[in-house]
């Protein structure tokens, strides 16, 4: 873990928005701006995808990111790399300590396999991503790749497996990222109710942007 507090003040943010529990949100952050993802009530997973706004086919690549940093988790100092080998964002502050980029987004299929057949039609992050892409028009189904689960606790077991555990975040925790290019940010404020990633209770999250 690499805990670093920010010197930025919410009153000075140029943009601020609260995402309701379980909903999606798509917006842009300009090169050089700083984005804060704010866990308002604690243990709320914020599933996020990043794209180069000037070329939306260029998107976040978890394999390249983890290989370059030689660490399975993201925290202060982590650079988020694209599939073309370009930096998209850098984590510059983090009061949670680590974030998952292995567990993926919940979906109809994974809810059915992991939990039960009657969970198939529960709302999911993949549904959120698809809805946001449909409304925006620049992104399509093919653009939904592996995402980051900010504030989600997915430990890697000694055998190399993954487990979904109680969160290590808390009310008021945040992570800040500096945009290294113009970035599209696609968020699903995770609606998952079947594992402890949201403390069994999805809650609102906030995004803030500073110049």
């Amino acid at each position: 873990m690499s805990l670093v507090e920010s010197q930025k003040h919410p009153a000075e943010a140029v943009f601020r928005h609260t995402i309701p529990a379980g909903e999606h949100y798509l917006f842009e952050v300009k090169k050089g701006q700083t984005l804060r993802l704010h866990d308002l009530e604690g243990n709320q997973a914020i599933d996020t995808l990043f794209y180069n706004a000037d070329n939306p086919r260029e998107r976040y690549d978890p394999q390249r990111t983890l290989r370059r940093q030689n660490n399975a988790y993201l925290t202060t100092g982590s650079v988020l790399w694209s599939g073309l080998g370009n930096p998209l964002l850098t984590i510059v502050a983090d009061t949670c300590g680590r974030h998952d980029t292995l567990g993926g987004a919940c979906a109809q299929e994974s809810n059915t396999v992991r939990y039960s057949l009657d969970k198939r039609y529960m709302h999911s992050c993949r549904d959120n991503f698809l809805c946001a892409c449909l409304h925006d028009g620049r992104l399509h189904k093919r653009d939904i790749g592996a995402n980051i689960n900010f504030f989600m606790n997915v430990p890697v077991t000694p055998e190399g497996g993954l487990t979904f555990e109680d969160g290590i975040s808390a009310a008021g925790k945040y992570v800040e990222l500096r945009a290294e290019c113009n970035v599209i940010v696609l968020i699903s404020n995770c609606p998952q109710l079947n594992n402890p990633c949201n403390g069994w209770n999805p809650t609102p999250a906030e995004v803030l942007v500073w110049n």
Side-chain angles (χ1 to χ4, degrees):
M1 292 187 181
S2 183
L3 301 179
V4 175
E5 293 190 5
S6 171
Q7 301 302 310
K8 297 188 179 299
H9 301 286
E12 298 173 354
V14 297
F15 178 76
R16 192 170 186 177
H17 176 76
T18 298
I19 308 172
E23 295 300 314
H24 63 266
Y25 192 57
L26 187 150
F27 61 107
E28 286 191 30
V29 178
K30 300 300 183 183
K31 181 178 180 178
Q33 289 185 321
T34 299
L35 163 67
R36 176 183 292 183
L37 303 178
H38 185 193
D39 186 2
L40 290 171
E41 298 183 30
N43 290 348
Q44 172 58 37
I46 303 177
D47 290 37
T48 309
L49 290 165
F50 296 109
Y51 304 83
N52 182 338
D54 299 316
N55 174 21
R57 302 291 82 75
E58 181 178 11
R59 60 177 181 255
Y60 170 69
D61 185 333
Q63 289 83 14
R64 190 182 298 266
T65 297
L66 298 186
R67 186 170 65 248
R68 288 203 177 192
Q69 71 169 6
N70 197 31
N71 194 316
Y73 304 106
L74 305 175
T75 187
T76 308
S78 295
V79 177
L80 310 185
W81 295 90
S82 78
L84 299 182
N86 299 314
L88 295 175
L89 305 101
T90 301
I91 298 179
V92 293
D94 181 13
T95 61
C96 176
R98 76 180 195 198
H99 307 272
D100 167 66
T101 190
L102 296 172
C106 58
Q108 283 191 355
E109 296 80 6
S110 62
N111 283 339
T112 301
V113 171
R114 289 172 177 163
Y115 308 112
S116 65
L117 288 174
D118 64 356
K119 307 297 185 184
R120 175 175 175 80
Y121 297 104
M122 294 185 72
H123 194 46
S124 70
C125 285
R126 184 166 175 81
D127 291 340
N128 274 342
F129 290 151
L130 288 170
C131 287
C133 290
L134 178 65
H135 293 148
D136 181 72
R138 290 172 295 176
L139 302 175
H140 306 280
K141 182 178 180 179
R142 66 175 181 271
D143 298 312
I144 300 174
N147 63 286
I148 299 173
N149 298 305
F150 288 104
F151 306 110
M152 189 169 167
N153 185 22
V154 185
V156 179
T157 68
E159 296 76 27
L162 301 175
T163 61
F164 296 92
E165 303 293 343
D166 289 336
I168 58 174
S169 185
K173 300 287 188 181
Y174 59 81
V175 57
E176 284 185 1
L177 306 99
R178 182 183 65 241
E180 308 297 354
C181 63
N182 297 326
V183 176
I184 297 172
V185 183
L186 174 53
I187 288 175
S188 170
N189 194 27
C190 184
Q192 181 61 258
L193 293 168
N194 300 295
N195 70 51
C197 70
N198 296 328
W200 312 102
N201 177 40
T203 54
E206 185 180 38
V207 295
L208 303 91
V209 178
W210 288 265
N211 287 327

